[in-house]
Amino acid sequence: MKEGDIMKLSVILTGATGMVGEGVLHECLLHHNVERVLVINRKPCGVAHPKLTEIVHSDFFDLSAYAAQLTGYNACFFCLGVSSLGMSEAEYSKVTHDLTLSVAALLSDLNPEMVFCYVTAGGTDSTEQGKSMWARVKGRTENDLLKLPFKAAHMFRPGYIHPIKGLNNAHRYYAAFMWLYPVLRRIIPKHAVSLSELGRAMINIASSNSPSSILNCEDMVRTAKT
């Protein structure tokens, strides 16, 4: 497959009960290039669609019982994440780095032609040496994902994410900032993106043989249009 070629997607998606995962799932179900989506959740996502199947499982560190169901997919959109607020570095590392790598390592073994898209965060520290705990952990997670034998891995680093109207899982505090979105897009375009654009960018980059490994908001907006 050459750069610019497009392939149909069979997607594994995590985090569909959160704002980002719900929005990315929404875009996947609308998009003509996504043929099927398998959601892995700790609780049902509450969405029914002909493209969609779901695994509900509490322990993401052990998905081995579902290996047969996780085989035959060419993309993963990993949207699962937690805030570091109130957590120690060890606690945050376990649920951010260790859990993500556990799932990703299994998927890379089962699907060597998979493209892995990880929703991380703007300000992530690729050096793993900075003062910010969450940024170091995110940086280590990105770096270790890029070492796995996927066909490709892409790190999505959003800043402010503008919610999709009508979906259920946007954080309440977003209501206070939504009016600022057009201003943010003009003055700091590298740090503001709509959730629809983020979802479409993940679909587009997974569908093509793109060399981009780390994307900021401006990159996502551009990629969403391709």
Side-chain angles (χ1 to χ4, degrees), residues 38-169:
L38 172 64
V39 167
I40 311 172
N41 280 331
R42 292 189 179 95
K43 60 182 181 180
C45 68
V47 177
H49 193 278
K51 289 184 184 181
L52 179 65
T53 55
E54 187 172 26
I55 291 172
V56 178
H57 183 65
S58 61
D59 186 3
F60 275 56
F61 284 98
D62 185 8
L63 294 170
S64 57
Y66 300 96
Q69 293 169 254
L70 300 174
T71 302
Y73 289 84
N74 58 9
C76 176
F77 298 159
F78 199 94
C79 306
L80 184 66
V82 298
S83 168
S84 64
L85 189 65
M87 300 181 75
S88 69
E89 184 161 354
E91 291 168 333
Y92 186 65
S93 293
K94 181 175 181 180
V95 296
T96 297
H97 174 273
D98 298 353
L99 185 148
T100 304
L101 267 293
S102 177
V103 175
L106 175 63
L107 294 181
S108 66
D109 286 342
L110 296 174
N111 303 287
E113 290 301 304
M114 174 173 277
V115 177
F116 192 92
C117 295
Y118 177 55
V119 180
T120 172
T124 292
D125 178 14
S126 296
T127 73
E128 306 178 35
Q129 302 298 317
K131 294 182 180 180
S132 174
M133 179 271 282
W134 73 263
R136 291 195 307 271
V137 173
K138 286 283 193 181
R140 181 159 60 95
T141 305
E142 286 188 358
N143 291 338
D144 288 347
L145 286 172
L146 290 167
K147 295 172 187 174
L148 291 176
F150 288 112
K151 179 181 179 180
H154 305 284
M155 310 295 118
F156 286 72
R157 293 182 176 182
Y160 172 79
I161 304 173
H162 193 64
I164 297 173
K165 186 176 181 179
L167 298 188
N168 299 318
N169 294 323

